[in-house]
């Protein structure tokens, strides 16, 4: 992302929360991006929501993240020859 920013491939980075841009060094990254002409657009500041709302947002993100992994696991399991007995017994879709 930093290389693309320096090359001018984009001018805005949008993030939901400021600390989701990077795990550490947010101020440094924002400063670097501003030097290369990129602005950081933060959609929600932490003061905008309650702790309970943040917790719910994080909790709701878990099923979305895991569903993709479960789907990938199911596709891989279905494509292997060893999955045929599992399918015959109704253990796979």
């Amino acid at each position: 992302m930093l290389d693309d920013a320096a090359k001018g491939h984009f001018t805005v980075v949008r993030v939901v929360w400021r600390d989701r841009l990077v795990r550490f060094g947010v101020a440094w990254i924002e400063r670097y991006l501003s030097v290369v002409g990129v602005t950081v657009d933060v959609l929600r500041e932490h003061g905008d929501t309650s702790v309970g709302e943040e917790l719910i947002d994080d909790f709701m993100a878990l099923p979305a993240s895991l569903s993709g992994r479960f789907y990938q696991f199911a596709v891989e399991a279905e494509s292997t020859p060893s999955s045929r007995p599992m399918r015959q017994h109704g253990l796979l879709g």
Side-chain angles (χ1 to χ4, degrees), residues 60-81:
M60 295 305 293
L62 285 173
S65 174
L66 293 175
S67 66
R69 292 180 188 177
F70 287 138
Y71 177 77
Q72 181 181 5
F73 174 74
V75 168
E76 289 172 0
E78 191 171 294
S79 66
T80 60

Side-chain angles (χ1 to χ4, degrees), residues 27-80:
W28 184 89
I29 295 295
E30 286 180 329
R31 191 169 31 248
Y32 173 80
L33 290 173
S34 71
V35 167
V36 296
V38 176
T39 58
V40 177
D41 185 14
V42 180
L43 302 177
R44 295 173 83 181
E45 294 290 341
H46 280 286
D48 293 346
T49 59
S50 70
V51 173
E53 288 173 321
E54 287 184 41
L55 183 62
I56 294 294
D57 287 346
D58 289 345
F59 182 74
M60 295 305 293
L62 285 173
S65 174
L66 293 175
S67 66
R69 292 180 188 177
F70 287 138
Y71 177 77
Q72 181 181 5
F73 174 74
V75 168
E76 289 172 0
E78 191 171 294
S79 66
T80 60

Side-chain angles (χ1 to χ4, degrees), residues 14-34:
R14 289 187 176 92
V15 293
V16 177
W17 303 105
R18 186 173 305 283
D19 61 355
R20 302 287 166 88
L21 178 60
V22 292
R23 191 170 291 275
F24 302 104
V26 174
W28 184 89
I29 295 295
E30 286 180 329
R31 191 169 31 248
Y32 173 80
L33 290 173
S34 71

